[in-house]
């Protein structure tokens, strides 16, 4: 052997010609050859070893920085990979690891749902997988698979690594693997997994046969065929699946008004028949069923007889129950779902097109419309459908209910119409009329206005509208106008009734004596005031004071609502009477704006606004004079405008703190009261005094009404008939969004804080997005239109959550805790997914969170598994046992295992050392599948 000093030196920058020349000049001498990388096989092992050393030298956190990715559906399992070549083939080696390995330092949980498939099959933690980069991703040639696994095993041994390595083999559908792992001692663990398809024998369908299969594997590996009875560790997991809820035998939990539920067979009834949106559409049930997992924890089994008894055990005997939700796969990906959100999109499109015409009639006549979009495929429903919609809107007997109870407390910030109002119902019907295109809306609106005019001309009350109270200025203008019209119809009806009563009683009044007429007038004075009477009247009638004030002037008193406590007339020394007064004339928002414009135009001069105030003031003065015949101007000021009556400071009075019934008598004794008119009322030429002097003494019942119902009613109809299309559509959009949200909010979904927050946020978002519509300055290409389209997406998101919440609430009404936890987990999953910017379907099938079922809740879930029908009886033919109300498990998973100490004298025992005291899992078999599809994974520890 030559020394290194005599060996030939070759420089990296030497050319081939130079190298040949040197070889010819110098004689060949003996030197060292590096045989470690002499062959391609050795170079392949060396390449694998280099990659393994890099992975081993990096901590998990460093691997994350170098490109490791988190596996889907795994809690804390990451993957890093490297590509390499051997014999003209490309391979990919993947290393699976966890960032917190100390958490699983003990025994690996058998039924941890975050485990990778190989972890569950073989009970490993960190592991390697090497596979060819091909379409199948598996090694089809058995010698190649063995050689590939040997290369990885040698590399792992050179690195002193204990990672198990796996190679996928056979057909990909079989999920077959072979694997190997060094145990760090003389022991080696070998792995093998394969699938048995239709060749499953009847014996392997039952627990007894599977037990004997495991025992036979143990006996074969130990060459001890006499071994039959020994202690085997056994654990089992069964998965049951409810029948689809759209089957004929579906049970529906009907929720009564009292909040109780009753389980009824469907009989063709939809799941959401008692939901608030069912009046407008039927939603597809997002919950397709539940998966129930029954788990038997690890226990010792000594014979096949015990396995036979376990097969007959009820799932109720399992130590743990888990439930998971099955959702519709791709529910939002299959077309556009029918719901409020989809129809609101059409309404926004109609709003954009409404700027193309001047009047609604222009959209009805296709010849007069210049838009090709309007002339094309905008279908108008038949007159029969239109008449049915109008009949539902103007149905007899449907009157107004309290607006305050018809929507969310925040919805009043949206300038629309209350949910129960006539215009809100018109908007909701329009969403489904002709798919809410602009032509269909125009046809329905024209017929709607005609029906409103018929109610006016025939003095028929408007349905769904209040006939008393003030105009709600927080609603849209159309709703205000309809409310004004309903009040005008009511007033007109009262005027007609009063006129008929007057004619019918004319002869009787003429025959009455003067005394009788006075008595009849007194009967009017003591009637109980209505709730909407002016606050200036004390509604308590004091009979004692009335009896003390009987004088001649009382014979002419009219329109009195009762005396005012502690107040007396300055001139006649009598108790002051509060009169019945007319209500202030009702005004809509545009009427108020007209008044403000008049004030701005005319200043303080006598204008429209001042004329209205004058009429109201004169009416009040006339009523006060009729109720107090001996009153003077100062008396009226003391009652109507107390701030304009200045009392003198009296130190004697300020010392008294008594407010007993003697105050009235005391005020009479200290007559007249010490005070005077304010400077404003005492000025020369004061308008109020002029009106007082000219006002006649007439009770409110005899005065000309401040509101002319005939004139105001015709003005309302003129507004409705000449309303521009875009003004109508702007108010329809606001009202439809508000009414749709209010309808959803009426759904019963249990105590879900998330939905309360979502609903509150939806109203705030709608308020902000719909605010530009109130300005009435939009155009067809306005950016607000795009904002409204985005708003429909927000509405769809909330509507989707509402549908799921309602479905869970009905199905788990008797297990509210489970309903809340399932929805909360789905909500968090939904929010996290959408927060990443995904606008498409989030893939509900990936949501598989498991929830533990408490003992008291097991009966509720068990009742979901109704007995199979006749067409499902085939399920019992190949039954695996452990039935739940006639249902066999869709998947059965079993783990058999044996543990032993290495120093117990068996064939693979170590002679000595601390490792001899370690208990290891020598045999493990994982079995998963059904009666005709079985997958078996086996790991065996041996001494090679």
């Amino acid at each position: 052997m030559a020394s290194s000093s005599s060996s030939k030196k070759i420089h990296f920058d030497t050319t081939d010609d130079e190298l040949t020349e040197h070889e010819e000049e110098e004689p060949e001498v003996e030197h060292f050859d590096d045989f470690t990388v002499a062959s391609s096989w050795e170079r392949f092992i060396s390449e694998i070893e280099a990659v393994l050393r890099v992975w081993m030298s990096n901590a998990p956190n460093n691997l994350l920085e170098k490109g490791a990715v988190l596996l889907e559906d795994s809690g804390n399992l990451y993957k890093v990979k490297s590509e390499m070549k051997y014999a003209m083939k490309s391979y990919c080696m993947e290393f699976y690891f966890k960032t917190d390995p100390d958490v699983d330092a003990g025994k690996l949980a058998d039924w941890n749902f975050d485990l990778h498939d190989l972890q569950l099959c073989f009970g490993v933690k960190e592991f390697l997988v090497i596979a060819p980069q091909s379409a199948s991703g598996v090694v089809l040639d058995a010698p190649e698979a063995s050689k590939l696994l040997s290369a990885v095993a040698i590399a792992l041994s050179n690195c002193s690594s204990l990672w198990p390595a796996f190679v996928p083999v056979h057909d990909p559908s079989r999920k077959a693997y072979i694997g190997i792992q060094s145990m760090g001692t003389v022991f080696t663990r070998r792995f093998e997994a394969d699938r048995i398809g239709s060749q499953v024998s009847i014996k392997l369908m039952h627990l007894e046969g599977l037990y004997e299969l495991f025992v036979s594997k143990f006996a074969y590996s130990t060459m001890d065929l006499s071994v039959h009875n020994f202690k085997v560790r056994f654990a089992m997991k069964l998965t049951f699946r409810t029948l689809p809820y759209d089957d004929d035998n579906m049970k529906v939990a009907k929720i009564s008004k009292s909040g109780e539920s009753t389980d009824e067979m469907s009989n063709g009834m939809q799941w959401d028949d008692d939901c608030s949106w069912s009046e407008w559409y039927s939603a597809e049930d997002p919950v397709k069923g539940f998966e129930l997992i029954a788990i038997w924890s690890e226990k010792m089994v000594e014979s096949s007889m015990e396995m036979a008894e376990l097969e007959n055990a009820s799932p109720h005997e399992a130590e743990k129950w888990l439930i998971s939700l099955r959702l519709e796969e791709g529910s939002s990906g299959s077309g556009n779902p029918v719901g409020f959100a989809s129809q609101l999109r059409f309404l926004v499109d109609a709003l954009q097109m409404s700027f193309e015409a001047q009047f609604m009639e222009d959209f009805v006549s296709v010849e007069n419309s210049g838009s090709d979009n309007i002339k094309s495929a905008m279908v108008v429903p038949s007159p029969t459908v239109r008449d049915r919609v109008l009949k539902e809107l103007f149905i007899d007997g449907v009157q107004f209910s309290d607006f305050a109870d018809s929507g969310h407390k925040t919805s009043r910030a949206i300038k629309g119409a209350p949910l129960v109002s006539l215009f809100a119902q018109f908007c909701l019907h329009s969403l489904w009329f002709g798919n809410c295109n602009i032509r269909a809306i125009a046809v329905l609106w024209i017929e709607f206005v005609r029906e409103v005019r018929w109610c006016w001309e025939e003095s028929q009350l408007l349905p769904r509208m209040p006939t008393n109270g003030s105009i709600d200025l927080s609603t849209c203008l159309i709703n205000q106008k309809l409310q004004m019209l309903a009040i005008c119809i009511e007033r007109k009806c009262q005027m007609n009734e009063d006129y008929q009563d007057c004619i019918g009683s004319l002869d009787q009044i003429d025959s009455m004596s003067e005394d009788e007429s006075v008595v009849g007038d007194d009967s009017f004075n003591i009637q109980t005031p209505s709730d909407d009477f002016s606050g200036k009247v004390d509604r308590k009638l004091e009979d004692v004071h009335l009896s003390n004030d009987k004088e001649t002037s009382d014979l002419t008193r009219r329109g009195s609502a009762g005396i005012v406590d502690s107040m007396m007339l300055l001139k006649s020394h009598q108790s002051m009477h509060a009169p019945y007064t007319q209500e202030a004339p009702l005004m809509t928002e545009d009427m108020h704006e007209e008044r403000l414009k008049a004030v701005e135009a005319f200043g303080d001069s006598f204008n429209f606004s001042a004329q209205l105030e004058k009429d109201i003031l004169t009416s009040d003065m006339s009523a006060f004079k009729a109720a107090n015949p001996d009153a003077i101007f100062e008396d009226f000021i003391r009652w109507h405008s107390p701030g304009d009556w200045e009392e003198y400071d009296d130190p004697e009075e300020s010392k008294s703190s008594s407010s007993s019934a003697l105050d009235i008598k005391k005020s009479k004794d200290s007559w007249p009261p010490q005070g005077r008119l304010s400077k404003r009322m005492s000025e020369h030429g004061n308008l109020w005094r002029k009106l007082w002097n000219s006002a006649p003494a007439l009770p409110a019942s005899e005065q000309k009404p401040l509101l002319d119902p005939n004139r105001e009613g015709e003005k309302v109809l003129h507004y409705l008939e000449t309303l521009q299309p875009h003004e109508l559509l702007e108010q329809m959009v606001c009202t439809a969004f508000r009414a749709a949200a209010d309808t959803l909010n009426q759904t019963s979904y249990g105590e879900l804080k998330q939905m309360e927050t979502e609903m509150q946020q939806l109203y705030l978002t709608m308020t902000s997005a719909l605010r530009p519509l109130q300005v009435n300055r939009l155009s067809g290409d306005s950016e607000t239109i795009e904002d409204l389209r985005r708003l429909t997406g927000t509405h769809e998101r909330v509507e989707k959550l509402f549908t799921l919440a309602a479905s869970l609430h009905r199905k788990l009404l008797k297990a509210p805790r489970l309903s809340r936890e399932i929805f909360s987990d789905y909500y968090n999953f939904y929010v996290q997914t959408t927060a990443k910017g995904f606008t498409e379907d989030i893939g509900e099938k990936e949501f598989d969170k498991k929830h533990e079922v408490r003992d008291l809740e097991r009966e509720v879930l068990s009742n979901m598994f109704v007995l199979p029908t006749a067409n499902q009886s085939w399920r019992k033919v190949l039954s695996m046992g452990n039935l739940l109300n006639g249902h066999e498990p869709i998947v059965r998973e079993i783990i058999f295992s044996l543990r032993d100490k290495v120093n117990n004298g068996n064939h693979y025992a170590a002679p000595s050392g601390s490792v001899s005291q370690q208990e290891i899992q020598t045999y493990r078999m994982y079995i998963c599948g059904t009666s005709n599809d079985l997958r078996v994974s086996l790991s065996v520890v041996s001494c090679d």
Side-chain angles (χ1 to χ4, degrees), residues 693-815:
N693 295 333
S694 61
L698 287 176
S701 59
E702 300 179 12
Q703 296 176 12
K704 178 182 178 181
L706 295 175
L707 174 68
D708 187 348
N710 292 301
R711 182 182 70 245
E712 296 300 333
E714 289 295 337
K715 289 171 64 177
V716 168
L717 290 170
H718 176 74
Y719 169 81
L720 298 177
E721 292 169 346
T722 59
L723 188 62
Q724 292 187 354
H726 71 91
E727 294 178 349
L728 170 63
L729 266 298
E730 288 168 3
Q731 298 181 62
M732 285 185 64
V733 168
C734 291
T735 300
F737 270 100
R738 170 177 168 175
D742 286 343
T743 301
L744 290 177
N745 195 51
Q746 292 180 345
T747 301
S748 176
Y749 53 79
E751 299 178 359
L752 299 178
K753 299 295 184 181
Q754 299 91 338
M755 290 311 306
E756 295 178 3
T757 303
E758 285 289 331
M759 204 67 216
Q760 181 72 20
Q761 185 60 42
L762 176 62
Y763 280 115
L764 295 176
T765 305
M766 288 194 303
T767 302
S768 176
L770 297 174
R771 187 173 292 113
L773 299 183
Q774 305 172 17
V775 183
N776 196 19
R777 295 177 182 175
L778 295 183
S779 59
D781 57 350
S782 173
E783 295 181 358
T784 304
I785 301 296
E786 294 303 321
D787 293 339
L788 293 177
R789 290 196 174 99
R790 286 190 288 269
L791 181 60
T792 59
T794 304
H795 196 285
E796 181 179 10
R797 173 179 176 274
V798 177
E799 190 170 358
K800 183 177 183 180
L801 291 174
F802 255 105
T803 307
L804 177 62
S807 180
L808 286 175
H809 180 59
R810 278 150 179 75
K811 293 175 177 61
L812 298 174
L813 189 62
K814 296 181 179 179

